[in-house]
Amino acid sequence: MSSKTTLVAVTQAEPEWLDLATSVAKTCKLIAEAAQNAAQLIAFPECWIPGYPCWIWGYPLDVELHEAYIKDLIALDFPEMNQIEACAKSHSIAV
């Protein structure tokens, strides 16, 4: 039986709230940093993009804030996800 070690980076950072482009840029920066430190896998928290808005439950409905939050969502077929995938591939790291 062979033994193999996998170095994993775990992200514990503040998301970039209500700014998808900045969120993707920060994600790519963290991916690059993890890869430069020999990580083979980087894990991000659930809802990293757009971040988990715990404040959403503590205030009356703010339509503008909710709309801004929803505009910040990301999906697998979005160009921003392609950018993250390309970053991961260029750094040979799993996300």
Side-chain angles (χ1 to χ4, degrees):
M1 181 174 183
S2 68
S3 126
K4 183 177 178 187
T5 301
T6 301
L7 187 61
V8 177
V10 178
T11 307
Q12 193 172 22
E14 175 89 18
E16 295 297 328
W17 297 99
L18 307 176
D19 188 337
L20 182 55
T22 304
S23 295
V24 171
K26 185 172 188 173
T27 300
C28 289
K29 178 182 173 222
L30 292 168
I31 289 169
E33 181 182 333
Q36 289 168 358
N37 286 296
Q40 298 161 289
L41 168 69
I42 182 169
F44 289 92
E46 181 180 8
C47 300
W48 168 251
I49 297 176
Y52 183 78
C54 61
W55 40 262
I56 209 166
W57 308 113
Y59 298 98
L61 181 62
D62 181 335
V63 175
E64 288 180 23
L65 183 58
H66 280 69
E67 285 178 357
Y69 179 76
I70 289 168
K71 286 180 184 177
D72 225 18
L73 298 175
I74 191 168
L76 292 176
D77 60 347
F78 281 20
E80 293 84 1
M81 184 59 82
N82 294 335
Q83 185 179 348
I84 293 168
E85 290 169 353
C87 178
K89 183 176 182 179
S90 74
H91 291 286
S92 301
I93 189 170
V95 178

